Coordinates of all heavy atoms in Angstrom, one line a residue:
M1 N 0.8 -1.2 0.0 CA 0.0 0.0 0.0 C 0.9 1.2 0.0 O 1.9 1.3 0.7 CB -0.9 0.0 1.2 CG -1.8 1.2 1.4 SD -2.8 1.0 2.8 CE -4.2 2.0 2.3
I2 N 0.5 2.2 -0.8 CA 1.2 3.5 -0.9 C 0.6 4.5 0.1 O -0.6 4.7 0.1 CB 1.2 4.1 -2.3 CG1 1.7 3.1 -3.3 CG2 1.9 5.4 -2.4 CD1 3.2 2.8 -3.1
Y3 N 1.5 5.0 1.0 CA 1.0 6.0 2.0 C 1.5 7.4 1.6 O 2.5 7.6 1.0 CB 1.6 5.6 3.4 CG 1.1 4.4 4.0 CD1 1.8 3.2 3.9 CD2 -0.1 4.4 4.7 CE1 1.3 2.0 4.4 CE2 -0.6 3.2 5.2 CZ 0.1 2.0 5.1 OH -0.4 0.9 5.7
Q4 N 0.6 8.3 1.9 CA 1.0 9.7 1.8 C 1.6 10.2 3.1 O 1.1 9.9 4.2 CB -0.3 10.5 1.4 CG 0.0 11.9 1.0 CD -1.3 12.6 0.5 OE1 -2.4 12.0 0.7 NE2 -1.2 13.8 -0.1
I5 N 2.6 11.0 3.0 CA 3.2 11.5 4.3 C 2.8 13.0 4.5 O 2.8 13.8 3.6 CB 4.8 11.5 4.1 CG1 5.3 10.1 3.7 CG2 5.4 12.0 5.4 CD1 5.1 9.1 4.8
E6 N 2.3 13.2 5.8 CA 1.9 14.5 6.2 C 2.7 14.9 7.4 O 2.8 14.1 8.4 CB 0.4 14.5 6.4 CG -0.2 15.8 6.9 CD -1.6 15.7 7.2 OE1 -2.4 15.2 6.3 OE2 -2.1 16.1 8.3
F7 N 3.2 16.1 7.5 CA 4.0 16.6 8.6 C 3.2 17.6 9.4 O 2.7 18.6 8.8 CB 5.3 17.2 8.2 CG 6.3 16.2 7.7 CD1 6.3 16.0 6.3 CD2 7.1 15.5 8.5 CE1 7.2 15.1 5.8 CE2 8.0 14.6 8.0 CZ 8.1 14.4 6.6
K8 N 3.1 17.5 10.7 CA 2.5 18.5 11.6 C 3.6 19.6 11.7 O 4.8 19.4 11.6 CB 2.1 17.9 12.9 CG 1.0 17.0 12.9 CD -0.3 17.7 12.5 CE -1.5 16.7 12.6 NZ -2.7 17.3 12.3
P9 N 3.1 20.9 12.0 CA 4.1 22.0 12.1 C 5.2 21.7 13.1 O 6.3 22.1 12.9 CB 3.2 23.2 12.5 CG 1.8 22.8 12.0 CD 1.7 21.3 12.1
R10 N 4.9 21.1 14.2 CA 5.9 20.8 15.2 C 7.0 19.8 14.7 O 8.1 19.9 15.0 CB 5.2 20.2 16.5 CG 6.1 20.0 17.6 CD 6.7 21.4 18.1 NE 7.9 21.1 18.9 CZ 8.7 22.0 19.4 NH1 8.4 23.3 19.2 NH2 9.7 21.7 20.0
A11 N 6.6 18.9 13.9 CA 7.5 17.9 13.3 C 8.5 18.6 12.3 O 9.7 18.3 12.3 CB 6.8 16.8 12.6
V12 N 7.9 19.6 11.6 CA 8.8 20.3 10.6 C 9.8 21.1 11.4 O 11.0 21.2 11.1 CB 7.9 21.3 9.8 CG1 8.8 22.2 9.0 CG2 7.0 20.5 8.9
K13 N 9.4 21.7 12.6 CA 10.3 22.5 13.4 C 11.4 21.6 14.0 O 12.6 21.9 14.1 CB 9.5 23.2 14.5 CG 10.3 24.1 15.3 CD 9.5 24.9 16.3 CE 10.3 25.9 17.1 NZ 9.5 26.6 18.1
D14 N 11.0 20.4 14.4 CA 11.9 19.4 15.0 C 13.0 19.0 13.9 O 14.2 18.9 14.2 CB 11.2 18.1 15.4 CG 10.3 18.3 16.6 OD1 10.5 19.3 17.4 OD2 9.4 17.5 16.9
L15 N 12.5 18.8 12.7 CA 13.4 18.4 11.6 C 14.4 19.5 11.3 O 15.6 19.3 11.0 CB 12.6 18.0 10.4 CG 12.0 16.6 10.4 CD1 11.0 16.5 9.2 CD2 13.1 15.6 10.3
K16 N 13.9 20.8 11.3 CA 14.8 21.9 11.0 C 15.9 22.0 12.0 O 17.0 22.5 11.8 CB 14.0 23.2 10.9 CG 13.2 23.3 9.6 CD 12.5 24.6 9.5 CE 11.7 24.7 8.2 NZ 10.9 25.9 8.1
G17 N 15.6 21.6 13.3 CA 16.6 21.7 14.4 C 17.7 20.6 14.4 O 18.6 20.7 15.1
L18 N 17.5 19.6 13.5 CA 18.5 18.5 13.5 C 19.7 18.9 12.7 O 19.6 19.6 11.7 CB 17.9 17.3 12.9 CG 16.8 16.6 13.6 CD1 16.2 15.4 12.8 CD2 17.3 16.1 15.0
P19 N 20.9 18.4 13.0 CA 22.1 18.6 12.2 C 21.8 17.9 10.8 O 21.0 17.0 10.7 CB 23.2 17.8 12.9 CG 22.7 17.8 14.3 CD 21.2 17.7 14.3
T20 N 22.5 18.4 9.8 CA 22.3 18.0 8.4 C 22.3 16.4 8.2 O 21.5 15.9 7.6 CB 23.3 18.6 7.5 OG1 23.2 20.0 7.7 CG2 23.0 18.3 6.0
V21 N 23.3 15.8 8.8 CA 23.5 14.3 8.6 C 22.3 13.6 9.2 O 21.7 12.7 8.6 CB 24.8 13.9 9.3 CG1 24.9 12.3 9.2 CG2 26.0 14.5 8.6
R22 N 21.9 14.0 10.4 CA 20.7 13.3 11.1 C 19.5 13.6 10.3 O 18.6 12.7 10.2 CB 20.6 13.7 12.5 CG 21.7 13.1 13.4 CD 21.7 13.6 14.8 NE 20.4 13.6 15.5 CZ 20.2 14.3 16.5 NH1 21.1 15.1 17.1 NH2 19.0 14.3 17.1
H23 N 19.3 14.8 9.8 CA 18.1 15.2 9.1 C 18.0 14.4 7.8 O 16.9 13.9 7.5 CB 18.2 16.7 8.7 CG 17.1 17.2 7.9 ND1 17.0 17.2 6.6 CD2 15.9 17.8 8.4 CE1 15.8 17.7 6.2 NE2 15.2 18.1 7.3
R24 N 19.1 14.2 7.1 CA 19.0 13.3 5.9 C 18.6 11.9 6.2 O 17.8 11.3 5.5 CB 20.3 13.4 5.1 CG 20.6 14.6 4.4 CD 21.8 14.5 3.5 NE 22.3 15.8 3.1 CZ 23.6 16.2 3.2 NH1 24.5 15.3 3.6 NH2 23.9 17.4 2.9
R25 N 19.2 11.4 7.2 CA 19.0 10.0 7.6 C 17.5 9.8 8.0 O 16.9 8.8 7.6 CB 19.9 9.6 8.8 CG 19.9 8.1 9.1 CD 20.9 7.7 10.1 NE 21.5 8.9 10.8 CZ 22.2 8.8 11.9 NH1 22.4 7.6 12.5 NH2 22.6 9.8 12.6
V26 N 17.0 10.7 8.8 CA 15.6 10.6 9.3 C 14.6 10.8 8.1 O 13.7 10.0 7.9 CB 15.3 11.7 10.3 CG1 13.8 11.8 10.6 CG2 16.0 11.4 11.6
M27 N 14.9 11.7 7.2 CA 14.0 11.9 6.0 C 14.0 10.7 5.1 O 13.0 10.3 4.5 CB 14.4 13.2 5.2 CG 14.0 14.5 5.9 SD 12.3 14.6 6.3 CE 11.6 14.5 4.6
K28 N 15.2 10.1 5.0 CA 15.3 8.8 4.1 C 14.4 7.8 4.7 O 13.6 7.1 4.0 CB 16.7 8.4 4.1 CG 16.9 7.2 3.2 CD 18.4 6.9 3.1 CE 18.7 5.7 2.3 NZ 20.1 5.3 2.2
K29 N 14.4 7.6 6.0 CA 13.5 6.6 6.7 C 12.1 6.9 6.6 O 11.2 6.1 6.4 CB 13.9 6.4 8.1 CG 15.3 5.8 8.3 CD 15.3 4.3 8.0 CE 16.6 3.7 8.4 NZ 16.7 2.3 8.3
I30 N 11.7 8.2 6.7 CA 10.3 8.6 6.6 C 9.8 8.4 5.2 O 8.7 7.9 5.0 CB 10.2 10.1 7.0 CG1 10.4 10.3 8.5 CG2 8.8 10.6 6.7 CD1 10.4 11.7 9.0
E31 N 10.6 8.7 4.2 CA 10.2 8.5 2.8 C 10.0 7.0 2.5 O 9.2 6.6 1.7 CB 11.3 9.1 1.9 CG 11.3 10.6 1.8 CD 12.5 11.2 1.1 OE1 13.3 10.4 0.6 OE2 12.5 12.4 1.1
A32 N 10.8 6.1 3.2 CA 10.6 4.7 3.0 C 9.3 4.2 3.6 O 8.7 3.2 3.2 CB 11.8 4.0 3.7
L33 N 8.7 5.0 4.5 CA 7.4 4.6 5.1 C 6.3 4.7 4.0 O 5.2 4.1 4.2 CB 7.0 5.5 6.2 CG 7.7 5.3 7.6 CD1 7.3 6.4 8.6 CD2 7.5 3.9 8.1
Q34 N 6.5 5.5 2.9 CA 5.5 5.6 1.9 C 5.2 4.3 1.2 O 4.0 4.0 0.9 CB 6.0 6.6 0.8 CG 5.9 8.0 1.2 CD 6.4 8.9 0.1 OE1 7.4 8.7 -0.6 NE2 5.6 10.0 -0.1
Q35 N 6.2 3.5 1.1 CA 6.0 2.2 0.4 C 5.3 1.2 1.3 O 4.5 0.4 0.9 CB 7.3 1.6 -0.1 CG 8.1 2.5 -1.0 CD 7.2 2.9 -2.3 OE1 6.6 2.0 -2.8 NE2 7.3 4.1 -2.7
D36 N 5.8 1.1 2.5 CA 5.2 0.1 3.5 C 5.7 0.6 4.9 O 6.7 1.3 5.0 CB 5.8 -1.3 3.2 CG 5.0 -2.4 3.8 OD1 3.9 -2.0 4.4 OD2 5.3 -3.5 3.7
L37 N 5.1 0.1 5.9 CA 5.5 0.5 7.2 C 6.6 -0.5 7.7 O 6.5 -1.2 8.7 CB 4.3 0.4 8.2 CG 3.2 1.4 7.9 CD1 2.1 1.3 8.9 CD2 3.7 2.8 8.0
D38 N 7.6 -0.5 6.9 CA 8.8 -1.4 7.2 C 9.8 -0.6 8.0 O 9.7 0.6 8.2 CB 9.4 -1.9 5.9 CG 8.7 -3.1 5.4 OD1 7.9 -3.7 6.1 OD2 8.9 -3.4 4.2
G39 N 10.8 -1.3 8.4 CA 11.9 -0.6 9.2 C 11.6 -0.9 10.7 O 10.9 -1.9 11.0
D40 N 12.2 -0.1 11.5 CA 12.0 -0.4 13.0 C 10.8 0.4 13.4 O 10.9 1.4 14.2 CB 13.3 0.1 13.7 CG 13.4 -0.5 15.1 OD1 12.4 -1.1 15.5 OD2 14.4 -0.4 15.7
V41 N 9.6 -0.1 13.0 CA 8.4 0.6 13.4 C 7.8 -0.3 14.5 O 7.7 -1.5 14.5 CB 7.4 0.6 12.2 CG1 6.0 1.1 12.7 CG2 8.0 1.5 11.2
K42 N 7.3 0.4 15.6 CA 6.7 -0.3 16.7 C 5.4 0.4 17.1 O 5.4 1.6 17.2 CB 7.7 -0.3 17.9 CG 7.2 -1.1 19.1 CD 8.3 -1.1 20.1 CE 7.9 -2.0 21.3 NZ 9.0 -2.0 22.3
K43 N 4.4 -0.4 17.4 CA 3.1 0.2 17.9 C 3.3 0.4 19.4 O 3.7 -0.5 20.1 CB 2.0 -0.8 17.6 CG 0.6 -0.2 18.0 CD -0.5 -1.1 17.5 CE -1.8 -0.7 17.9 NZ -2.2 0.7 17.6
L44 N 3.0 1.6 19.8 CA 3.2 2.0 21.2 C 1.9 1.7 22.0 O 0.8 1.7 21.4 CB 3.5 3.5 21.3 CG 4.8 3.9 20.6 CD1 4.9 5.4 20.7 CD2 6.0 3.3 21.2
T45 N 2.0 1.3 23.2 CA 0.9 1.0 24.1 C 0.6 2.2 25.0 O 1.6 2.7 25.6 CB 1.1 -0.3 24.9 OG1 2.2 -0.1 25.7 CG2 1.2 -1.5 24.0
N46 N -0.6 2.6 25.2 CA -1.0 3.7 26.1 C -0.2 5.0 25.8 O 0.2 5.7 26.7 CB -0.8 3.3 27.5 CG -1.6 2.1 27.9 OD1 -2.8 1.9 27.4 ND2 -1.1 1.2 28.8
F47 N 0.0 5.3 24.5 CA 0.7 6.5 24.1 C 0.1 7.0 22.9 O -0.3 6.3 22.0 CB 2.2 6.1 23.9 CG 3.1 7.3 23.9 CD1 3.5 7.9 25.1 CD2 3.5 7.9 22.7 CE1 4.3 9.0 25.1 CE2 4.4 9.0 22.7 CZ 4.8 9.5 23.9
T48 N 0.0 8.3 22.8 CA -0.4 9.0 21.5 C 0.7 9.8 21.1 O 1.2 10.6 21.8 CB -1.7 9.8 21.8 OG1 -2.7 9.0 22.3 CG2 -2.2 10.5 20.5
P49 N 1.1 9.8 19.8 CA 0.7 9.0 18.7 C 1.0 7.5 18.8 O 1.7 7.1 19.7 CB 1.5 9.6 17.5 CG 2.4 10.6 18.1 CD 2.2 10.7 19.5
E50 N 0.4 6.8 18.0 CA 0.3 5.3 18.1 C 1.6 4.6 17.8 O 1.9 3.5 18.3 CB -0.8 4.7 17.2 CG -2.2 5.2 17.6 CD -3.2 4.6 16.7 OE1 -2.9 3.8 15.8 OE2 -4.4 5.0 16.8
Y51 N 2.4 5.1 16.9 CA 3.6 4.4 16.4 C 4.8 5.2 16.5 O 4.8 6.4 16.6 CB 3.4 4.1 14.9 CG 2.3 3.1 14.5 CD1 1.1 3.6 14.2 CD2 2.5 1.8 14.6 CE1 0.0 2.8 13.9 CE2 1.5 0.9 14.2 CZ 0.2 1.4 13.9 OH -0.8 0.5 13.6
R52 N 6.0 4.5 16.5 CA 7.3 5.2 16.5 C 8.2 4.5 15.5 O 8.1 3.3 15.3 CB 7.9 5.2 17.9 CG 8.4 3.9 18.4 CD 9.9 3.7 18.2 NE 10.4 2.5 18.9 CZ 10.9 1.5 18.3 NH1 11.0 1.5 17.0 NH2 11.4 0.5 18.9
L53 N 9.0 5.3 14.9 CA 10.0 4.8 13.9 C 11.4 5.1 14.6 O 11.6 6.3 14.9 CB 9.9 5.4 12.6 CG 11.0 5.2 11.6 CD1 11.1 3.7 11.2 CD2 10.8 6.1 10.4
R54 N 12.2 4.1 14.7 CA 13.5 4.3 15.3 C 14.5 4.6 14.2 O 14.7 3.8 13.3 CB 14.0 3.1 16.1 CG 15.3 3.3 16.8 CD 15.6 2.1 17.7 NE 16.1 1.0 16.9 CZ 17.3 0.8 16.4 NH1 18.3 1.6 16.7 NH2 17.6 -0.3 15.7
V55 N 15.3 5.7 14.3 CA 16.3 6.0 13.4 C 17.5 6.4 14.2 O 17.7 7.5 14.6 CB 15.9 7.2 12.4 CG1 17.0 7.5 11.4 CG2 14.6 7.0 11.8
G56 N 18.4 5.4 14.5 CA 19.5 5.6 15.4 C 19.0 6.1 16.8 O 18.2 5.3 17.4
D57 N 19.4 7.2 17.3 CA 19.0 7.7 18.6 C 17.7 8.6 18.4 O 17.2 9.1 19.4 CB 20.1 8.5 19.3 CG 21.1 7.6 19.8 OD1 20.9 6.4 20.0 OD2 22.2 8.1 20.1
D58 N 17.2 8.8 17.2 CA 16.1 9.6 17.0 C 14.8 8.8 16.9 O 14.9 7.6 16.5 CB 16.2 10.5 15.7 CG 17.3 11.5 15.9 OD1 17.3 12.2 16.8 OD2 18.2 11.5 15.0
R59 N 13.7 9.4 17.3 CA 12.4 8.7 17.2 C 11.4 9.6 16.4 O 11.3 10.8 16.7 CB 11.8 8.4 18.6 CG 12.7 7.5 19.5 CD 12.9 6.1 18.9 NE 13.7 5.3 19.8 CZ 15.0 5.1 19.7 NH1 15.6 5.7 18.8 NH2 15.6 4.3 20.5
V60 N 10.7 9.0 15.5 CA 9.7 9.6 14.7 C 8.4 9.1 15.2 O 8.1 7.9 15.1 CB 9.9 9.3 13.2 CG1 8.8 10.0 12.4 CG2 11.2 9.8 12.7
L61 N 7.6 10.0 15.8 CA 6.3 9.6 16.4 C 5.2 9.9 15.3 O 5.1 11.1 14.9 CB 6.1 10.3 17.7 CG 7.1 10.1 18.8 CD1 6.9 11.0 20.0 CD2 7.2 8.6 19.2
F62 N 4.4 8.9 15.0 CA 3.4 9.1 13.9 C 2.2 8.3 14.1 O 2.2 7.4 15.0 CB 4.1 8.8 12.5 CG 4.4 7.4 12.3 CD1 3.5 6.6 11.6 CD2 5.6 6.9 12.7 CE1 3.9 5.2 11.4 CE2 6.0 5.6 12.5 CZ 5.1 4.7 11.8
E63 N 1.2 8.6 13.4 CA -0.1 7.8 13.3 C -0.4 7.5 11.9 O 0.0 8.2 11.0 CB -1.2 8.6 14.0 CG -1.2 8.7 15.5 CD -2.4 9.4 16.0 OE1 -3.2 9.9 15.3 OE2 -2.5 9.4 17.3
V64 N -1.2 6.4 11.7 CA -1.6 6.1 10.4 C -3.1 6.3 10.3 O -3.9 5.7 11.1 CB -1.3 4.6 10.1 CG1 -1.8 4.2 8.7 CG2 0.2 4.3 10.2
E65 N -3.6 7.1 9.4 CA -5.0 7.4 9.2 C -5.3 7.1 7.8 O -5.0 7.8 6.8 CB -5.3 8.9 9.5 CG -4.9 9.4 10.9 CD -5.1 10.9 11.0 OE1 -5.3 11.6 10.1 OE2 -4.9 11.3 12.2
E66 N -6.0 5.9 7.6 CA -6.4 5.4 6.3 C -5.1 5.2 5.5 O -4.3 4.4 5.7 CB -7.4 6.2 5.6 CG -8.8 6.2 6.4 CD -9.8 7.0 5.7 OE1 -9.7 7.3 4.5 OE2 -10.8 7.3 6.3
N67 N -4.9 6.0 4.4 CA -3.7 5.9 3.6 C -2.7 7.1 3.8 O -1.9 7.4 2.9 CB -4.1 5.8 2.1 CG -4.8 7.0 1.6 OD1 -5.2 7.9 2.4 ND2 -4.9 7.2 0.3
T68 N -2.7 7.7 5.0 CA -1.9 8.8 5.3 C -1.1 8.5 6.6 O -1.6 8.1 7.6 CB -2.7 10.1 5.5 OG1 -3.5 10.3 4.3 CG2 -1.8 11.3 5.7
V69 N 0.2 8.8 6.5 CA 1.1 8.7 7.7 C 1.3 10.1 8.2 O 1.8 11.0 7.4 CB 2.5 8.1 7.3 CG1 3.4 8.2 8.5 CG2 2.3 6.6 6.9
V70 N 0.8 10.4 9.4 CA 0.9 11.8 10.0 C 2.0 11.8 11.0 O 2.0 11.1 12.0 CB -0.5 12.2 10.6 CG1 -0.4 13.6 11.2 CG2 -1.6 12.0 9.7
V71 N 3.1 12.6 10.7 CA 4.2 12.7 11.5 C 4.0 13.8 12.5 O 3.8 14.9 12.1 CB 5.5 12.9 10.7 CG1 6.7 13.0 11.6 CG2 5.7 11.8 9.7
Y72 N 4.1 13.5 13.8 CA 3.8 14.5 14.9 C 5.1 15.1 15.4 O 5.2 16.3 15.6 CB 3.0 13.8 16.0 CG 1.6 13.6 15.7 CD1 1.1 12.5 15.1 CD2 0.6 14.7 15.9 CE1 -0.2 12.3 14.8 CE2 -0.7 14.5 15.6 CZ -1.1 13.3 15.0 OH -2.4 13.1 14.7
R73 N 6.1 14.2 15.7 CA 7.3 14.7 16.3 C 8.5 13.9 15.8 O 8.4 12.8 15.4 CB 7.3 14.6 17.8 CG 6.2 15.3 18.6 CD 6.3 16.8 18.5 NE 7.6 17.4 18.9 CZ 7.9 17.9 20.1 NH1 7.0 18.0 21.0 NH2 9.1 18.5 20.3
V74 N 9.7 14.6 15.9 CA 11.0 13.9 15.6 C 11.8 14.3 16.7 O 12.2 15.5 16.8 CB 11.6 14.3 14.2 CG1 12.9 13.6 14.0 CG2 10.6 14.0 13.1
L75 N 12.1 13.4 17.7 CA 12.9 13.7 18.9 C 14.0 12.7 19.2 O 14.0 11.6 18.7 CB 11.9 13.7 20.1 CG 10.8 14.7 20.1 CD1 9.7 14.3 21.1 CD2 11.3 16.1 20.3
H76 N 14.9 13.1 20.0 CA 15.9 12.2 20.5 C 15.2 11.3 21.4 O 14.2 11.6 22.1 CB 17.0 13.0 21.3 CG 18.2 12.2 21.6 ND1 18.2 11.4 22.8 CD2 19.4 11.9 21.0 CE1 19.4 10.7 22.8 NE2 20.1 11.1 21.7
R77 N 15.8 10.1 21.5 CA 15.1 9.0 22.3 C 14.9 9.4 23.8 O 13.9 9.0 24.4 CB 15.8 7.7 22.2 CG 17.2 7.7 22.8 CD 17.9 6.3 22.5 NE 19.2 6.4 23.0 CZ 19.6 5.9 24.2 NH1 18.7 5.4 25.0 NH2 20.9 6.0 24.6
R78 N 15.7 10.1 24.4 CA 15.6 10.5 25.8 C 14.4 11.5 26.0 O 13.9 11.6 27.1 CB 16.9 11.0 26.4 CG 17.3 12.4 25.9 CD 18.5 12.9 26.7 NE 19.0 14.0 25.9 CZ 20.1 14.0 25.3 NH1 20.9 12.9 25.3 NH2 20.5 15.1 24.6
E79 N 14.0 12.2 25.0 CA 12.9 13.1 25.1 C 11.6 12.6 24.5 O 10.5 13.2 24.7 CB 13.3 14.4 24.3 CG 14.6 15.0 24.8 CD 15.1 16.1 23.9 OE1 14.6 16.2 22.7 OE2 16.1 16.7 24.2
A80 N 11.6 11.6 23.8 CA 10.4 11.2 23.0 C 9.3 10.7 23.8 O 8.1 10.9 23.4 CB 10.9 10.1 22.0
Y81 N 9.5 10.0 24.9 CA 8.4 9.4 25.6 C 8.0 10.0 26.9 O 7.3 9.5 27.7 CB 8.7 7.9 25.8 CG 9.2 7.2 24.6 CD1 10.5 6.8 24.5 CD2 8.3 6.9 23.6 CE1 10.9 6.1 23.3 CE2 8.7 6.3 22.4 CZ 10.0 5.9 22.3 OH 10.5 5.3 21.2
Q82 N 8.4 11.3 27.1 CA 8.1 12.0 28.3 C 6.7 12.6 28.3 O 6.1 13.0 27.3 CB 9.1 13.1 28.6 CG 10.4 12.5 28.8 CD 11.5 13.6 29.0 OE1 11.2 14.8 29.0 NE2 12.7 13.2 29.3

């Protein structure tokens, strides 16, 4: 299934704050989500948004709504689940 990627304003701000190398690596993994929810994707329990994608020490928090992946935040792992 092909997914459309949508970024919330806070996620865009998070991405802009990343160093260039980390930004490229995270964007590459997010773009890979368009094809399928492959990679290190895990469904979170008792947490909103529902899913996380692990990219090294960074976490992409997102939800799946029909055929759209909505990215809410991109954070370092120590800040992601607070």
